[in-house]
Amino acid sequence: MLLERIYDEDLAQASYFIGCQATGEALVVDARRDVAEYLELARRHGMRIVAATETHIHADYLSGTRELAATTGAQIYVSGEGGQHWQYGFEANRLRHGDTITIGNITVEARHTPGHTPEHLVLLVTDGAFSSAPGYALTGDFVFAGDLGRPDLLDEAAGGADTRFEGARQLFASLRDEFLSLDDHIQVFPAHGSGSACGKALGALPSTTVGYERLNAWWATYLRDGDEQGFVDELLDGQPDAHAYFGRMKRENRDGPQLLGSLPPIVQMANDDLARRLEADEVIFVDTRDQHAVHAGTVVRSLNVPGLAKAASYGAWVYDPETETRPLVLLAPDQGFAQAMRDHLVRVGVDHVAGYTTDLDGLPTTVPAVVPPAELEGVDVAMLLDVRNRTEHTAGHIPGSEQLSGGRVLWHLDQLPDDGTIATYCQSGVRNSVTASALRRAGYDVVELEGSYAGWSTWKHSQPIATSA
């Protein structure tokens, strides 16, 4: 049996390629939407992708299950659990508790594990050429290395009302009845790692085991003691802010993401034509440099999505394809970078990239307003806005600031002042630059705090302590 983990550092998301080397058949689990890497894996191993499935309706990225099926002819398998409100809206084989998928000598069994979402499945993998019992569990957003999937996303991103409490109780039951019933040696492969917003304390390890989590996970004591309420309270406490685009991901993944097909190469645009289109407000410019370069000068009303590392995440913060139809033009050193950037953006449904340019020559530019920490108190601001997560704000913030995380700002403009200057900060300046660019494009007067909270803290601690005479 072949089992390979394909990890996207941008979204801290893992998908899995499972292949039977005896028959050359393969299954992909929790695929992302740009599917070239799975096709290359199949080619390299001389295999055919005959099936694609997923553990649940994802909230943080668009699934590539349908894309893979359209490209390879693979059979689609999705959860049929969770009740009528959590059924997929496209044609697929429905998996219920105990149903199996067979790939050559490999059997994949679906186990219903509600809590993170009502329809969630764990997939138990048995290598029939080696054993008659499962040796691997693909746990999706149920059990991570050192943590659990959050049960509050339906409230935070999908319009639910207090579903978190029932979800937390379901997680407790799923752990007790399903996960802890598994043998200790079973290797656990989760769908996310450290940095994902799908939990609050995800470990960076790519895998764990049932036995290790049984002995060491924070939740294990609550399960041993049968303390459901203590478990619920700790699970729900301190969850990070859910990005607003998660709601769109839920809807599109439930209904079926639009198929991409074969995308054409991204072409370089002439800057004189680009300047004309920017003047006519026909396209949106995306500056892909870091905040320091942007602060030295950028295109007027441009969005800042700095580099490839978090392009999908930040792209979905600042561009909503449900309300915006104008295509993007990327600042990129070459075509390869531009196409890699597009690959990241389509993972969150930002599909319309019209082209790229390699420089700002001849384009309308501006220098964003930035204020040093020592001068912040002298700026007349209508709001001092902390765009970090609420847990970061609670741990320490600039006095008088209000918190609204960067991934939620554009969807909560009603919480911002109608006029006046907004001063913004994050921890180091990266998220701040991304969010500030979106607010400026939306028409707000924004000044960024140089160095953000880290810079302010350093400056504050360097000030002499006032003493009484």
Side-chain angles (χ1 to χ4, degrees):
M1 185 183 84
L2 174 74
L3 194 160
E4 291 208 24
R5 175 179 181 258
I6 301 93
Y7 196 68
D8 175 15
E9 297 282 354
D10 186 341
L11 296 165
Q13 181 265 334
S15 49
Y16 296 92
F17 184 99
I18 302 171
C20 176
Q21 291 155 316
T23 65
E25 296 173 303
L27 162 71
V28 178
V29 180
D30 289 334
R32 63 179 191 246
R33 197 162 169 237
D34 54 317
V35 299
E37 191 164 358
Y38 312 111
L39 303 179
E40 173 57 24
L41 270 174
R43 186 202 64 77
R44 190 162 74 240
H45 293 292
M47 291 182 171
R48 296 175 294 111
I49 297 173
V50 298
T53 189
E54 51 198 62
T55 52
H56 64 293
I57 301 172
H58 296 282
D60 53 318
Y61 71 101
L62 283 187
S63 165
T65 297
R66 291 181 70 239
E67 196 73 37
L68 264 181
T71 305
T72 66
Q75 288 288 308
I76 298 175
Y77 297 85
V78 296
S79 176
E81 298 283 0
Q84 63 175 341
H85 297 299
W86 293 96
Q87 296 303 300
Y88 287 80
F90 53 88
E91 190 66 30
N93 299 289
R94 309 289 166 163
L95 293 172
R96 295 196 173 274
H97 187 81
D99 288 348
T100 60
I101 305 170
T102 300
I103 305 294
N105 295 320
I106 299 165
T107 301
V108 179
E109 180 185 357
R111 305 296 289 267
H112 185 213
T113 51
H116 174 68
T117 60
E119 82 292 349
H120 195 285
L121 301 176
V122 161
L123 302 174
L124 298 180
V125 182
T126 300
D127 180 3
F130 188 74
S131 173
S132 60
Y136 312 91
L138 275 58
T139 55
D141 286 22
F142 172 34
V143 175
F144 300 124
D147 201 10
L148 300 172
R150 58 192 296 180
D152 62 322
L153 278 183
L154 305 188
D155 289 352
E156 291 288 316
D162 291 334
T163 64
R164 66 190 69 203
F165 303 107
E166 176 61 20
R169 288 190 290 270
Q170 288 179 334
L171 268 176
F172 186 87
S174 292
L175 287 167
R176 180 192 63 212
D177 301 339
E178 293 297 330
F179 187 77
L180 293 181
S181 71
L182 300 175
D183 292 335
D184 282 348
H185 70 268
I186 290 180
Q187 194 163 354
V188 172
F189 291 97
H192 291 289
S194 179
S196 169
C198 291
K200 62 181 177 179
L202 279 68
L205 293 173
S207 66
T208 182
T209 65
V210 171
Y212 190 83
E213 297 302 307
R214 189 196 308 273
L215 287 173
N216 299 297
W218 67 261
W219 48 264
T221 300
Y222 293 107
L223 269 293
R224 284 193 293 269
D225 295 344
D227 183 3
E228 181 185 74
Q229 189 57 53
F231 170 87
V232 169
D233 292 343
E234 181 160 347
L235 178 62
L236 294 178
D237 181 56
Q239 290 288 356
D241 293 336
H243 305 314
Y245 78 88
F246 281 10
R248 176 170 59 85
M249 298 293 95
K250 276 283 186 190
R251 293 190 299 274
E252 292 190 33
N253 281 326
R254 180 196 61 206
D255 298 339
Q258 180 179 344
L259 295 176
L260 292 169
S262 180
L263 296 175
I266 298 179
V267 297
Q268 183 173 355
M269 297 181 66
N271 277 17
D272 55 353
D273 180 49
L274 176 54
R276 179 192 62 76
R277 296 186 69 181
L278 286 168
E279 179 66 26
D281 200 21
E282 295 173 354
V283 297
I284 298 173
F285 192 83
V286 178
D287 195 326
T288 62
R289 301 172 300 164
D290 65 28
Q291 74 270 26
H292 306 295
V294 169
H295 290 168
T298 188
V299 168
V300 175
R301 300 187 70 225
S302 63
L303 298 174
N304 182 209
V305 180
L308 291 175
K310 301 293 289 184
S313 305
Y314 293 149
W317 283 19
V318 299
Y319 185 92
D320 181 7
E322 290 190 318
T323 60
E324 180 60 75
T325 59
R326 283 163 289 195
L328 303 176
V329 175
L330 310 175
L331 178 63
D334 51 47
Q335 186 184 57
F337 181 95
Q339 296 192 165
M341 192 86 173
R342 180 177 65 182
D343 285 346
H344 281 249
L345 292 173
V346 299
R347 295 171 195 172
V348 289
V350 179
D351 299 348
H352 302 301
V353 178
Y356 75 98
T357 184
T358 59
D359 57 61
L360 307 184
D361 291 349
L363 303 180
T365 58
T366 185
V367 177
V370 178
V371 60
E375 300 176 16
L376 178 62
E377 291 186 3
V379 179
D380 182 19
V381 299
M383 173 185 276
L384 177 57
L385 180 62
D386 183 342
V387 302
R388 299 175 300 167
N389 283 318
R390 56 177 173 257
T391 52
E392 296 174 280
H393 182 81
T394 300
H397 58 268
I398 300 176
S401 63
E402 298 181 47
Q403 185 271 335
L404 180 58
S405 62
R408 299 175 67 85
V409 165
L410 283 187
W411 287 261
H412 294 276
L413 296 178
D414 58 318
Q415 297 182 29
L416 305 182
D418 293 331
D419 52 35
T421 299
I422 300 173
T424 60
Y425 72 92
C426 65
Q427 185 63 28
S428 65
V430 179
R431 289 172 289 174
N432 188 36
S433 181
V434 173
T435 308
S437 73
L439 287 174
R440 289 191 183 100
R441 180 163 183 84
Y444 290 88
D445 179 25
V446 179
V447 57
E448 297 172 58
L449 177 61
E450 185 177 29
S452 277
Y453 185 71
W456 178 87
S457 296
T458 300
W459 168 79
K460 191 68 175 176
H461 291 140
S462 70
Q463 299 306 296
I465 299 174
T467 58
S468 56

